[in-house]
Structures are given as structure tokens and as C-alpha cells.
Short mmCIF file of all heavy atoms in Angstrom, two decimals:
data_model
loop_
_atom_site.label_atom_id
_atom_site.label_comp_id
_atom_site.label_asym_id
_atom_site.label_seq_id
_atom_site.Cartn_x
_atom_site.Cartn_y
_atom_site.Cartn_z
N GLN A 11 93.87 -16.01 -81.55
CA GLN A 11 92.83 -16.79 -80.89
C GLN A 11 93.05 -18.29 -81.19
O GLN A 11 93.59 -18.66 -82.23
CB GLN A 11 91.46 -16.35 -81.39
CG GLN A 11 91.00 -14.99 -80.86
CD GLN A 11 89.58 -14.70 -81.22
OE1 GLN A 11 89.03 -15.20 -82.16
NE2 GLN A 11 88.94 -13.87 -80.39
N ARG A 12 92.49 -19.10 -80.31
CA ARG A 12 92.55 -20.55 -80.52
C ARG A 12 91.63 -20.85 -81.66
O ARG A 12 90.52 -20.34 -81.79
CB ARG A 12 92.13 -21.30 -79.27
CG ARG A 12 92.34 -22.78 -79.29
CD ARG A 12 92.07 -23.40 -77.95
NE ARG A 12 93.00 -22.91 -76.89
CZ ARG A 12 93.07 -23.44 -75.72
NH1 ARG A 12 92.31 -24.46 -75.36
NH2 ARG A 12 93.89 -22.92 -74.83
N GLU A 13 92.10 -21.74 -82.56
CA GLU A 13 91.28 -22.08 -83.75
C GLU A 13 91.23 -23.63 -83.92
O GLU A 13 92.15 -24.34 -83.56
CB GLU A 13 91.91 -21.45 -85.02
CG GLU A 13 93.28 -21.95 -85.36
CD GLU A 13 93.81 -21.40 -86.67
OE1 GLU A 13 93.11 -20.76 -87.38
OE2 GLU A 13 94.99 -21.70 -87.00
N LEU A 14 90.11 -24.05 -84.49
CA LEU A 14 89.93 -25.47 -84.80
C LEU A 14 90.84 -25.82 -85.97
O LEU A 14 90.79 -25.17 -87.03
CB LEU A 14 88.48 -25.74 -85.14
CG LEU A 14 88.18 -27.20 -85.55
CD1 LEU A 14 88.42 -28.17 -84.41
CD2 LEU A 14 86.74 -27.31 -86.04
N VAL A 15 91.60 -26.90 -85.81
CA VAL A 15 92.47 -27.41 -86.87
C VAL A 15 91.75 -28.55 -87.59
O VAL A 15 91.70 -28.60 -88.78
CB VAL A 15 93.82 -27.85 -86.30
CG1 VAL A 15 94.68 -28.51 -87.41
CG2 VAL A 15 94.56 -26.68 -85.66
N ALA A 16 91.29 -29.48 -86.78
CA ALA A 16 90.66 -30.72 -87.36
C ALA A 16 89.77 -31.37 -86.31
O ALA A 16 90.00 -31.22 -85.12
CB ALA A 16 91.67 -31.69 -87.81
N GLY A 17 88.72 -32.02 -86.77
CA GLY A 17 87.87 -32.75 -85.87
C GLY A 17 87.37 -34.05 -86.48
O GLY A 17 87.41 -34.20 -87.75
N ILE A 18 87.03 -34.98 -85.65
CA ILE A 18 86.62 -36.28 -86.14
C ILE A 18 85.45 -36.78 -85.32
O ILE A 18 85.42 -36.67 -84.08
CB ILE A 18 87.74 -37.28 -86.14
CG1 ILE A 18 87.37 -38.61 -86.79
CG2 ILE A 18 88.31 -37.51 -84.71
CD1 ILE A 18 88.54 -39.55 -87.09
N THR A 19 84.42 -37.32 -86.00
CA THR A 19 83.22 -37.81 -85.31
C THR A 19 83.43 -39.28 -84.92
O THR A 19 84.40 -39.95 -85.30
CB THR A 19 82.00 -37.73 -86.19
OG1 THR A 19 82.13 -38.65 -87.27
CG2 THR A 19 81.83 -36.32 -86.74
N VAL A 20 82.46 -39.79 -84.13
CA VAL A 20 82.55 -41.16 -83.69
C VAL A 20 82.49 -42.10 -84.88
O VAL A 20 83.02 -43.21 -84.85
CB VAL A 20 81.40 -41.46 -82.68
CG1 VAL A 20 80.07 -41.34 -83.35
CG2 VAL A 20 81.58 -42.80 -82.02
N GLY A 21 81.86 -41.70 -85.94
CA GLY A 21 81.76 -42.49 -87.18
C GLY A 21 82.94 -42.42 -88.10
O GLY A 21 82.98 -43.10 -89.10
N GLY A 22 83.86 -41.53 -87.73
CA GLY A 22 85.06 -41.40 -88.56
C GLY A 22 85.06 -40.27 -89.55
O GLY A 22 86.03 -40.04 -90.27
N SER A 23 83.97 -39.50 -89.61
CA SER A 23 83.95 -38.34 -90.50
C SER A 23 84.84 -37.25 -89.91
O SER A 23 84.87 -37.05 -88.73
CB SER A 23 82.52 -37.83 -90.67
OG SER A 23 81.70 -38.80 -91.27
N SER A 24 85.54 -36.56 -90.82
CA SER A 24 86.49 -35.52 -90.36
C SER A 24 86.28 -34.21 -91.09
O SER A 24 85.71 -34.18 -92.20
CB SER A 24 87.91 -36.03 -90.55
OG SER A 24 88.18 -36.36 -91.87
N ASP A 25 86.72 -33.16 -90.42
CA ASP A 25 86.70 -31.84 -91.10
C ASP A 25 87.98 -31.13 -90.72
O ASP A 25 88.58 -31.41 -89.68
CB ASP A 25 85.49 -31.03 -90.64
CG ASP A 25 85.37 -30.81 -89.19
OD1 ASP A 25 85.13 -31.78 -88.44
OD2 ASP A 25 85.62 -29.69 -88.72
N TYR A 26 88.39 -30.20 -91.57
CA TYR A 26 89.67 -29.52 -91.42
C TYR A 26 89.53 -28.04 -91.71
O TYR A 26 88.75 -27.60 -92.51
CB TYR A 26 90.70 -30.14 -92.40
CG TYR A 26 90.97 -31.59 -92.22
CD1 TYR A 26 90.21 -32.56 -92.88
CD2 TYR A 26 91.98 -32.00 -91.31
CE1 TYR A 26 90.46 -33.88 -92.69
CE2 TYR A 26 92.24 -33.37 -91.10
CZ TYR A 26 91.47 -34.28 -91.78
OH TYR A 26 91.72 -35.62 -91.58
N ALA A 27 90.42 -27.28 -91.06
CA ALA A 27 90.55 -25.89 -91.43
C ALA A 27 91.11 -25.80 -92.82
O ALA A 27 91.89 -26.64 -93.22
CB ALA A 27 91.48 -25.17 -90.45
N ASP A 28 90.70 -24.78 -93.55
CA ASP A 28 91.17 -24.64 -94.93
C ASP A 28 92.71 -24.61 -95.00
O ASP A 28 93.28 -25.10 -95.95
CB ASP A 28 90.59 -23.40 -95.54
CG ASP A 28 89.11 -23.50 -95.90
OD1 ASP A 28 88.59 -24.66 -95.91
OD2 ASP A 28 88.48 -22.47 -96.07
N SER A 29 93.32 -24.03 -94.02
CA SER A 29 94.76 -23.83 -94.03
C SER A 29 95.57 -25.10 -93.92
O SER A 29 96.73 -25.13 -94.19
CB SER A 29 95.16 -22.89 -92.89
OG SER A 29 94.78 -23.41 -91.64
N VAL A 30 94.89 -26.22 -93.47
CA VAL A 30 95.61 -27.44 -93.30
C VAL A 30 95.14 -28.56 -94.21
O VAL A 30 95.67 -29.67 -94.16
CB VAL A 30 95.59 -27.93 -91.82
CG1 VAL A 30 96.08 -26.80 -90.90
CG2 VAL A 30 94.19 -28.42 -91.42
N LYS A 31 94.07 -28.31 -94.95
CA LYS A 31 93.49 -29.36 -95.84
C LYS A 31 94.54 -29.90 -96.78
O LYS A 31 95.30 -29.11 -97.39
CB LYS A 31 92.31 -28.84 -96.62
CG LYS A 31 91.07 -28.68 -95.79
CD LYS A 31 89.88 -28.18 -96.67
CE LYS A 31 88.62 -28.07 -95.84
NZ LYS A 31 87.50 -27.48 -96.61
N GLY A 32 94.63 -31.22 -96.89
CA GLY A 32 95.57 -31.82 -97.76
C GLY A 32 96.93 -32.05 -97.12
O GLY A 32 97.77 -32.75 -97.71
N ARG A 33 97.17 -31.49 -95.97
CA ARG A 33 98.46 -31.64 -95.28
C ARG A 33 98.28 -32.38 -93.92
O ARG A 33 99.21 -33.12 -93.56
CB ARG A 33 99.06 -30.27 -95.02
CG ARG A 33 99.38 -29.47 -96.26
CD ARG A 33 100.19 -28.19 -95.94
NE ARG A 33 99.44 -27.28 -95.05
CZ ARG A 33 99.93 -26.86 -93.88
NH1 ARG A 33 101.10 -27.30 -93.42
NH2 ARG A 33 99.22 -26.01 -93.13
N PHE A 34 97.22 -32.18 -93.27
CA PHE A 34 96.98 -32.76 -91.94
C PHE A 34 95.91 -33.86 -92.06
O PHE A 34 94.98 -33.79 -92.91
CB PHE A 34 96.46 -31.75 -90.94
CG PHE A 34 97.50 -30.72 -90.51
CD1 PHE A 34 98.74 -30.59 -91.19
CD2 PHE A 34 97.25 -29.92 -89.42
CE1 PHE A 34 99.62 -29.64 -90.78
CE2 PHE A 34 98.18 -28.95 -88.99
CZ PHE A 34 99.36 -28.80 -89.71
N SER A 35 96.03 -34.85 -91.17
CA SER A 35 95.03 -35.92 -91.18
C SER A 35 94.74 -36.32 -89.75
O SER A 35 95.68 -36.62 -88.97
CB SER A 35 95.58 -37.14 -91.93
OG SER A 35 94.63 -38.22 -91.90
N ILE A 36 93.48 -36.32 -89.38
CA ILE A 36 93.09 -36.69 -88.02
C ILE A 36 92.54 -38.13 -88.01
O ILE A 36 91.91 -38.59 -88.99
CB ILE A 36 92.03 -35.70 -87.47
CG1 ILE A 36 91.74 -35.96 -86.00
CG2 ILE A 36 90.74 -35.79 -88.28
CD1 ILE A 36 90.87 -34.89 -85.33
N SER A 37 92.82 -38.85 -86.94
CA SER A 37 92.29 -40.25 -86.83
C SER A 37 92.08 -40.51 -85.36
O SER A 37 92.56 -39.77 -84.48
CB SER A 37 93.27 -41.22 -87.44
OG SER A 37 94.55 -41.18 -86.78
N ARG A 38 91.31 -41.57 -85.07
CA ARG A 38 91.06 -41.93 -83.69
C ARG A 38 91.18 -43.47 -83.54
O ARG A 38 90.73 -44.19 -84.42
CB ARG A 38 89.71 -41.41 -83.21
CG ARG A 38 88.53 -41.95 -84.00
CD ARG A 38 87.27 -41.13 -83.62
NE ARG A 38 86.74 -41.43 -82.29
CZ ARG A 38 85.75 -40.70 -81.70
NH1 ARG A 38 85.24 -39.69 -82.34
NH2 ARG A 38 85.35 -41.04 -80.51
N ASP A 39 91.71 -43.88 -82.43
CA ASP A 39 91.79 -45.29 -82.06
C ASP A 39 90.96 -45.46 -80.77
O ASP A 39 91.48 -45.21 -79.69
CB ASP A 39 93.24 -45.69 -81.89
CG ASP A 39 93.41 -47.22 -81.63
OD1 ASP A 39 92.44 -47.84 -81.14
OD2 ASP A 39 94.48 -47.72 -81.95
N ASN A 40 89.75 -45.88 -80.94
CA ASN A 40 88.87 -45.98 -79.78
C ASN A 40 89.37 -47.04 -78.74
O ASN A 40 89.17 -46.86 -77.53
CB ASN A 40 87.43 -46.31 -80.20
CG ASN A 40 86.80 -45.19 -80.98
OD1 ASN A 40 87.13 -44.02 -80.81
ND2 ASN A 40 85.84 -45.52 -81.84
N ALA A 41 89.97 -48.05 -79.23
CA ALA A 41 90.49 -49.08 -78.34
C ALA A 41 91.60 -48.56 -77.41
O ALA A 41 91.77 -49.03 -76.28
CB ALA A 41 90.97 -50.30 -79.10
N LYS A 42 92.33 -47.59 -77.91
CA LYS A 42 93.44 -47.02 -77.14
C LYS A 42 93.09 -45.64 -76.54
O LYS A 42 93.92 -44.97 -75.95
CB LYS A 42 94.67 -46.86 -78.01
CG LYS A 42 95.24 -48.20 -78.51
CD LYS A 42 96.51 -47.97 -79.32
CE LYS A 42 97.09 -49.32 -79.77
NZ LYS A 42 98.30 -49.14 -80.56
N ASN A 43 91.84 -45.23 -76.72
CA ASN A 43 91.38 -43.93 -76.20
C ASN A 43 92.30 -42.78 -76.66
O ASN A 43 92.65 -41.88 -75.88
CB ASN A 43 91.26 -43.94 -74.69
CG ASN A 43 90.26 -44.97 -74.19
OD1 ASN A 43 89.29 -45.24 -74.87
ND2 ASN A 43 90.54 -45.58 -73.07
#
């Protein structure tokens, strides 16, 4: 099944699946969409 890997809020808070914590990092550049 499709699973959530990582997510980020408009304020920059992020959450990760346990399997990727410490290895993956999510970020967003609002100016570049």
C-alpha cells in the first residue's frame, strides 16, 4: 500500500515515517512552489 514518508506544514513543522527518521529530510520553497 501507499504509505506516508514525510510531510511538512506551512510553518515548516515536519513529520516522518519511523523507517526513514534520521535519513530523510523534507523541505519546502514557497517562492519556487
Side-chain angles (χ1 to χ4, degrees):
Q11 289 188 332
R12 191 172 297 189
E13 63 175 354
L14 176 66
V15 175
I18 186 167
T19 68
V20 65
S23 297
S24 57
D25 59 289
Y26 299 91
D28 287 343
S29 59
V30 307
K31 282 181 181 177
R33 300 189 296 122
F34 290 12
S35 178
I36 188 171
S37 60
R38 60 193 288 170
D39 185 334
N40 292 334
K42 295 182 178 179
N43 298 328

